[in-house]
Amino acid sequence: MASLALTLEFGGGMELLFGNVKTHKVTLPAHLANDRPTNIKALIGWIRDNLLQGKPELFISDGTVRPGILVLINDTDWELEGELDYELKDRDTIVFISTLHGG
Amino acid sequence: MCDSADQPAIGRHSKRSNNVCHKCLAAKPTLKIRHTYYCQSCFLKAFVTKVRVALGKVLRVPPPAKPRVLVAISGGHASRKVDYLNTEKKKFETLVACHIDEGLLFPEIQSNAGTIKQWVMDCGITYEGISLEDVFKREVMEEARPLPWLCTSPTSDPVESVYKAVFAHAPTLTPQALLQQYLASATKLSTREDLLWHLKQTLLHQMARKHRCEFIVVGDTCTRLAVKAIAMTSKGRGYSLPFDLGSGAEWFQDVQFVRPFRDCMDREVVLYNRFQGLEAVHTPSSTTGLPVKSSIDRLTEDFIKGLDRDFPSTTSTVVRTAAKLKPSQEAAQQPACLLCRIV
């Protein structure tokens, strides 16, 4: 089964939710259970289930990242890439940076 | 017969393609600020220009004098790019970067003071490190003379007035113990945040006076100012918005605040740092890791960030509207509160 090697980066205080580690190299299946390509929405769910060590509400709100968290896909604002629907590619770098005061 | 496909486009930007940068009309866009798409290179140029223009408009003194400037550095995103001042260093008579260490409040988190000092030193700017508890040190107050606004009566000595007000009940306590006692008296997190904010503003004023600086540059962004405007109004401090979010020049003839990022959103500053490889340090606050409803400021921030995501122009509208408020002429003539410096 094909898999995706991704680099996840957390900054602006978000690293505190992930064991104070800023960069994580992870591998995800290229397709979901329903045979659709893995997208950012699935990645966020995967991060919550596998990486997150803090409270989920500090990372997720209404099925997406909470307001104030900036998401970059290969240094491009995720808004330009389709946000939750962006289909992940091998060796993508996804960055999550908190712009909230105090992280 | 008129073909609908030939109809002229309606709206100011409706003809612009979203597949290319709206500035250079060539490169692939990498971000969108309000309704404009930028490539990385155009965004960096536009950001630097915006900050320079905002600074240039305010940092003016009659020639041949040059402005004396104190830069407040917390270590967060907005203060990471301190070198923007260094490139124009020759324009200033004095340039001092001041960091207030809040290590006493967050003992579990390693202090960032060393890292911040290194950034500042690398830029060739004079560094002034001070701890939050130093606000209760008599020598810090002495250095900050004159303090005309700290008099309890027109004839009293300012430092003596503050000393009587603050220390009369606890003459033997250390500054650390005084700070802890002072903050412990705040039962709500919102109150504690307010007290901390006032203490930091007071310290910055004192440091500016110590170095004879007439300008204090702070990293408040448009987003942060919108949060403060709404939060302060909800707490019943709407009357002091012109003072708290403005330059303060009406109150203090000798010192005024300058906010070069007041037209920039939080995300613009974060993106700039990211593209330039500048990494900010994590500066904890009283509500770090706490739920949204833990304080009024935190709740307001969540509200504003949500608005910013769905309606990108609203944040700047809040700030522009708040900036229209002007203090009354008589207000500056009244004696000021010792704590918050407001009439």
Side-chain angles (χ1 to χ4, degrees):
Chain A
M1 192 176 172
S3 61
L4 304 169
L6 305 172
T7 304
L8 307 178
E9 292 180 26
F10 301 96
M14 279 202 68
E15 62 274 17
L16 296 178
L17 299 176
F18 298 92
N20 221 358
V21 178
K22 288 193 173 179
T23 307
H24 296 255
K25 302 267 185 194
V26 300
T27 307
L28 262 75
H31 291 83
L32 301 167
N34 58 11
D35 217 26
R36 295 177 64 180
T38 307
N39 56 18
I40 290 280
K41 189 179 172 73
L43 174 69
I44 290 172
W46 186 89
I47 291 173
R48 180 196 55 206
D49 299 338
N50 297 281
L51 283 183
L52 188 65
Q53 295 177 22
K55 295 172 194 160
E57 64 269 25
L58 297 177
F59 179 58
I60 294 183
S61 166
D62 296 330
T64 182
V65 291
R66 68 184 284 206
I69 295 178
L70 186 67
V71 185
L72 297 176
I73 301 167
N74 301 322
D75 273 348
T76 297
D77 191 347
W78 75 328
E79 214 177 316
L80 275 62
E81 298 281 9
E83 298 194 4
L84 293 171
D85 297 327
Y86 172 80
E87 291 173 5
L88 293 162
K89 297 174 187 67
D90 195 30
R91 290 201 283 270
D92 272 351
T93 300
I94 316 293
V95 181
F96 298 88
I97 307 176
S98 172
T99 65
L100 295 161
H101 188 64
Chain B
M1 191 173 153
C2 181
D3 186 346
S4 62
D6 295 333
Q7 290 282 335
I10 299 166
R12 196 155 59 101
H13 300 310
S14 50
K15 278 185 184 170
R16 299 199 297 195
S17 163
N18 295 339
N19 296 322
V20 291
C21 166
H22 287 169
K23 288 285 170 194
C24 65
L25 303 175
K28 183 177 179 278
T30 54
L31 65 138
K32 185 175 143 188
I33 303 294
R34 293 180 191 124
H35 301 288
T36 307
Y37 289 72
Y38 290 93
C39 65
Q40 207 179 98
S41 161
C42 287
F43 165 72
L44 293 175
K45 280 182 209 158
F47 181 83
V48 171
T49 308
K50 193 153 63 172
V51 174
R52 279 221 177 110
V53 169
L55 264 180
K57 274 184 191 166
V58 189
L59 292 184
R60 284 185 177 170
V61 290
K66 291 178 177 178
R68 298 183 299 268
V69 179
L70 181 100
V71 196
I73 294 197
S74 68
H77 296 296
S79 59
R80 181 62 186 96
K81 194 182 155 32
V82 66
D83 59 330
Y84 66 91
L85 283 167
N86 189 42
T87 54
E88 304 186 12
K89 206 165 130 188
K90 59 180 182 299
K91 292 183 183 171
F92 308 122
E93 187 181 318
T94 310
L95 183 58
V96 182
C98 176
H99 170 64
I100 302 175
D101 188 4
E102 297 172 58
L104 188 70
L105 307 179
F106 308 103
E108 70 283 1
I109 294 176
Q110 199 187 352
S111 170
N112 295 315
T115 315
I116 294 165
K117 184 176 180 180
Q118 196 56 50
W119 293 350
V120 175
M121 305 293 269
D122 289 347
C123 294
I125 298 174
T126 310
Y127 176 81
E128 172 79 50
I130 190 158
S131 298
L132 189 61
E133 58 270 25
D134 291 348
V135 75
F136 293 115
K137 277 189 182 163
R138 189 176 181 118
E139 57 268 28
V140 173
M141 290 183 191
E142 295 279 2
E143 283 173 340
R145 280 168 182 271
L147 302 170
W149 46 277
L150 276 178
C151 295
T152 45
S153 76
T155 51
S156 67
D157 176 76
V159 175
E160 217 46 61
S161 300
V162 177
Y163 243 72
K164 274 183 193 158
V166 178
F167 304 105
H169 69 290
T172 55
L173 284 181
T174 60
Q176 288 89 339
L178 269 170
L179 177 66
Q180 277 162 342
Q181 197 183 65
Y182 178 69
L183 292 174
S185 65
T187 50
K188 297 270 176 20
L189 209 48
S190 300
T191 322
R192 186 184 155 94
E193 280 186 322
D194 280 352
L195 290 179
L196 276 175
W197 189 73
H198 287 306
L199 286 184
K200 284 191 267 188
Q201 300 288 99
T202 303
L203 261 184
L204 287 177
H205 265 116
Q206 290 180 347
M207 286 300 106
R209 290 203 167 90
K210 176 184 167 187
H211 291 278
R212 305 283 179 263
C213 294
E214 66 241 293
F215 296 104
I216 303 175
V217 176
V218 287
D220 291 334
T221 57
C222 181
T223 321
R224 189 80 203 125
L225 290 172
V227 172
K228 289 303 281 183
I230 301 288
M232 285 181 155
T233 309
S234 358
K235 290 179 210 168
R237 279 191 74 94
Y239 68 90
S240 70
L241 286 183
F243 165 80
D244 290 322
L245 306 182
S247 70
E250 297 88 349
W251 269 265
F252 318 113
Q253 270 71 39
D254 58 336
V255 183
Q256 62 173 297
F257 279 97
V258 179
R259 297 181 171 85
F261 299 109
R262 64 171 302 130
D263 295 325
C264 307
M265 316 301 284
D266 271 354
R267 59 200 294 273
E268 286 179 69
V269 179
V270 172
L271 284 167
Y272 179 87
N273 287 349
R274 168 80 193 169
F275 294 155
Q276 291 287 61
L278 299 170
E279 199 167 332
V281 294
H282 174 234
T283 46
S285 76
S286 306
T287 51
T288 299
L290 293 180
V292 168
K293 291 182 184 169
S294 56
S295 80
I296 294 173
D297 278 65
R298 189 58 151 182
L299 182 63
T300 314
E301 186 179 30
D302 197 67
F303 166 67
I304 292 286
K305 298 266 170 164
L307 263 183
D308 195 31
R309 183 162 71 181
D310 300 329
F311 308 98
S313 303
T314 316
T315 309
S316 57
T317 307
V318 171
V319 176
R320 281 202 309 271
T321 309
K324 286 179 185 165
L325 298 168
K326 298 281 175 224
S328 68
Q329 288 296 319
E330 305 86 63
Q333 312 302 325
Q334 305 287 326
C337 164
L338 279 177
L339 180 63
C340 73
R341 300 151 293 135
I342 303 277
V343 175

